[in-house]
Amino acid sequence: MHPIELRLHANTVSPGDLIVTVQEQTFEFLKSTSNPEIRVSAYLDREWPMVESRYEELYVSEVLSYKVTSISAGSKIRKVTLPCAMHPGEQLTLTVRR
């Protein structure tokens, strides 16, 4: 699993930014795809007291970031309405654009 940042504000580090992880093949796909829009499954690696309903940027590296167009949370086990606290291992599903 690769850690990446989900940022509240594009091009800016903020206290409310999240560190999420993606699977290895998702990380490689993010680095190599030319698709304009991508759906990404990201997982929380720790307890987060507040996961917001809007984030602007999925920051992969200094040379690669995506604009977040939608975000949803939860799984088959637990339905989540953002903003709220979330637990390690819970999933965020993001739609992002280059």
Side-chain angles (χ1 to χ4, degrees), residues 1 3 5 10-11 15 22 26 32-33 35 39 44 48 51-52 62 68 71 78 80 86 88 90 93:
M1 298 286 256
E5 292 179 48
N11 303 313
V22 294
T26 302
S32 64
T33 188
N35 294 354
R39 189 171 175 187
L44 301 175
W48 288 99
V51 177
E52 298 294 339
E62 287 189 23
V68 177
I71 182 169
R78 179 175 182 240
V80 176
M86 290 185 69
E90 289 191 307
T93 304

Side-chain angles (χ1 to χ4, degrees), residues 1-85:
M1 298 286 256
H2 269 278
I4 55 179
E5 292 179 48
L6 192 54
R7 292 185 172 173
L8 285 170
H9 306 287
N11 303 313
T12 305
V13 176
S14 304
D17 295 349
L18 300 181
I19 303 298
V20 296
T21 58
V22 294
Q23 294 181 351
E24 180 72 32
Q25 62 266 32
T26 302
F27 184 75
E28 293 302 322
F29 186 75
L30 286 167
K31 291 187 341 185
S32 64
T33 188
S34 60
N35 294 354
E37 188 170 87
I38 305 163
R39 189 171 175 187
V40 177
S41 292
Y43 302 89
L44 301 175
D45 66 344
R46 66 188 89 151
E47 186 83 22
W48 288 99
M50 183 55 65
V51 177
E52 298 294 339
S53 58
R54 288 194 65 190
Y55 290 88
E56 289 185 5
E57 180 179 56
L58 183 66
Y59 179 84
V60 180
S61 70
E62 287 189 23
V63 295
L64 181 61
S65 63
Y66 290 87
K67 178 182 180 187
V68 177
T69 58
S70 73
I71 182 169
S72 63
S75 65
K76 294 177 184 177
I77 299 169
R78 179 175 182 240
K79 297 301 177 197
V80 176
T81 301
L82 297 175
C84 70

